[in-house]
Amino acid sequence: MLRVGIDVGGTFTDLFAWDEEVKGPASVRTAKVLSTPGDPVIGFMNALSKAGIKPSEIGTIIHGTTIGTNALIERKYPEPALITTSGFRDTIEIGRQRRKNLYDPYQIKPRPLINRSRRFTVTEKLGSDGSTVKPLDREEARKVAEHIASQGIKNIAIAFVNSYVSGSHEQEMREIILKAIPDARVALSSETRPKIRELGRFVTTAIRAALFPVVSDYFTRLEERLRETGSKAPIFIVKSNGGMMRSNTAKERPEELIESGPAGGVAAGAFLSNLLNIKDMIVTDVGGTSFEAALMENGRGLVTDEYELEWEMPIITPMLDIRSIGAGGGSIAWIDKGGSLRVGPQSAGADPGPACYGRGGTLPTVTDANLVLGRLNQTLSGKFKLDYDAAVNAIRTVADPLGLSVLDCAEGIIEIVCENMAGAIRMVSTDRGRDPRDQTLIAFGGAGGLHAYKVAEAAGISKILVPPFAGVACAFGATTMDVRHDLEATFYAPVEDLDSTELTNAFTKLEHDCRELLRNDGILPNQITFERNALMRYIGQSYEVATPVPNGDLDDSIVADVAAAFHREHKREYGVSSEDFPVAFVTLRLTGYGQVAKPDASDLEAALGAGDENSITSAKNQRKVYFGGQHYTVDVFDPAHLSAGQEIQGPAIIEQPDSEIVLPINAKAQVDQYGNIIITNQGKAVANGKTLVSTKEEVL
């Protein structure tokens, strides 16, 4: 049976499938088709058809999707109601009263997720210890419920100010809501993410309520379509934390899908880290709409609790620290008011797409620039024929006002977008105290190999790795995932006053709840493992550092060891620590894994690995490519005909099935046994005997 990973992006829908019963190249199927933003189910089914996969052949589906993120950013969801404590109606709009741009007097805050007319308050108050200060005013609550019912609202968020310590009032409010609206979908902050600080908890709960109908409708339609075509396979959804969950669970926890697609790339990075023993890496993914970067240490992606959907909209569910910017193949080049060339964040997307797609687009994009420069195959690796003349005309709209030739303008577009991508790499590395020069750049995405060398050069990274599945990496990564759930609970206690028995009991409760989630996802008891962390801080600090906690019963000596570990983690994260300041536990986090079967190294080598010494190692053809102000005739290689250990000196092109790798003049590449292309910077220009065929004045 096939284990199928499908990632729906803004421009392309990618597929990677393993046949668990077959060995060798025949075990792998891939596909890349244009996404269908109007109905992603169509693009999903098109990918299966393009790969020649019958739904009845599928054993498991793992699906990464941006449907939740897109709905939130575009505010395309049935607007929910929010019920909160009297006096806190405007919390999600006021935020933390910070400024995104300190000296910009004209900045405008993003539109709130829920408009004020749909935010309601009731009288209630719990103390910070869970005691009742003011009981819920049931008559007031009943009137609010009836008013919401009269407006036809069916998805509702309930977020009371101190419900992180007890959900009793929220549960009482839900009962009143369900009496008035029996078919309502209700999200409680005490169940969504019971953590101290109300803004993040309120926003995260509002997101759950907003996405209930969006995610449920999409997954239900997808399930029905697959059943109609003969599939009985369970559908798992990629989560923002780098794991996956069943589609039925995802319908109840849609806020955990915000970085669903890019998380597949981090999973692919973890697979490569384990396979090649690369400890520190930066995983990048260049798609049609965006560029994502994530730092990985010891084969694991770093997790953040400070993700913001937009300014002052924190989502407090644990998520991989993935930075996304509007820089991809469809990113549009434009001229700002100062007369400077800019690229992105606007994108041509899948419809109409870049001008060279011939689908009605006229604006110049990064893909158009790569085509004009000769760096992109004019058939897009056999997918469809690109319109070279349309690309030239599009680039000319910005080249002429700048007084540049089309070629020089196109090269400028590539330089700018690569510098933008390098900026995202700095955000995930230097912003967290890591030096990018110590990392290996892993290049994923259909356009990843096109820009990998220039991006690495701009970021100061000397080693690049492009795997054979780079063009469908997020879909590949999805097939290597385990089921994963992260549960949290507020547990504020200074270390010196801590009762270790209470700490053990708190983790035991989280383990019980996590087992239930894993069981609902079809995981057997012998497949379950747990990992504990405590979010801790020096007393008086505002934010916490995640610190490992051993499994099992805890005693005072173990707690002392955890406190010592906190000092080490704090120093690693911020460069300083001090045992003179008292330490406190703030939040407990339990990660539960459901181990599932996945491909191993031998499978990868047999299916995608490089050939032996008898492989055809010569170039399949040549192409004219523009580098640094002049044209070169460069060799174009087919990776299927490269042998392990073979070296390629730039300038050259390697055409993978779903992406291309550009090797500029001073780049050198080597092929390993798994078919990975490892690129290094030679530090000086080596033309490799290429013949100069024209100058920039001669063409365009």
Side-chain angles (χ1 to χ4, degrees), residues 179-424:
K179 285 181 180 178
I181 316 170
D183 57 345
R185 297 290 302 276
V186 184
L188 305 186
S189 76
S190 55
E191 295 175 354
T192 301
R193 197 56 58 174
K195 293 176 69 175
I196 196 170
R197 300 191 187 100
E198 65 272 10
L199 177 62
R201 183 160 44 85
F202 284 18
V203 169
T204 306
T205 307
I207 287 173
R208 175 177 282 195
L211 292 183
F212 270 150
V214 176
V215 169
S216 182
D217 173 69
Y218 171 62
F219 290 149
T220 298
R221 288 190 298 108
L222 178 60
E223 290 163 349
E224 291 174 350
R225 183 75 180 108
L226 287 165
R227 280 198 299 269
E228 290 169 0
T229 54
S231 174
K232 298 180 180 180
I235 302 175
F236 289 86
I237 309 302
V238 176
K239 298 177 62 174
S240 307
N241 63 5
M244 62 182 184
M245 59 183 165
R246 288 287 284 267
S247 56
N248 284 341
T249 308
K251 293 174 186 178
E252 302 299 323
R253 307 171 75 87
E255 75 283 356
E256 297 182 8
L257 306 181
I258 303 303
E259 289 285 358
S260 171
V266 176
F271 183 91
L272 289 171
S273 174
N274 182 63
L275 179 71
L276 304 173
N277 196 30
I278 302 174
K279 297 300 182 184
D280 300 316
M281 60 172 64
I282 295 176
V283 172
T284 64
D285 190 328
V286 188
T289 305
S290 62
F291 171 85
E292 280 89 26
L295 181 71
M296 300 187 68
E297 293 182 338
N298 296 316
R300 306 183 72 173
L302 300 187
V303 173
T304 180
D305 298 289
E306 300 176 17
Y307 182 92
E308 288 191 342
L309 175 70
E310 294 174 12
W311 183 246
E312 290 286 68
M313 292 187 185
I315 303 175
I316 60 172
T317 182
M319 302 171 64
L320 291 169
D321 190 5
I322 301 172
R323 305 298 173 94
S324 299
I325 63 171
S331 294
I332 296 168
W334 52 285
I335 300 172
D336 66 16
K337 293 180 179 179
S340 297
L341 180 64
R342 306 283 292 276
V343 183
Q346 305 91 340
S347 174
D351 187 14
C356 62
Y357 281 14
R359 297 163 60 90
T362 58
L363 298 174
T365 68
V366 172
T367 296
D368 295 312
N370 276 310
L371 179 62
V372 166
L373 294 170
R375 302 178 186 182
L376 195 60
N377 186 314
Q378 289 197 30
T379 67
L380 206 63
S381 297
K383 293 173 180 62
F384 53 85
K385 185 172 177 56
L386 300 179
D387 190 332
Y388 178 85
D389 292 336
V392 170
N393 292 333
I395 298 295
R396 186 166 277 132
T397 63
V398 288
D400 288 351
L402 293 170
L404 297 172
S405 70
V406 169
L407 287 169
D408 284 342
C409 185
E411 197 158 37
I413 290 170
I414 301 304
E415 293 280 348
I416 291 168
V417 78
C418 288
E419 183 56 46
N420 292 345
M421 295 174 187

Side-chain angles (χ1 to χ4, degrees), residues 473-485:
C474 289
F476 168 84
T479 67
T480 70
M481 285 181 167
D482 288 319
V483 175
R484 172 175 171 172
H485 289 290

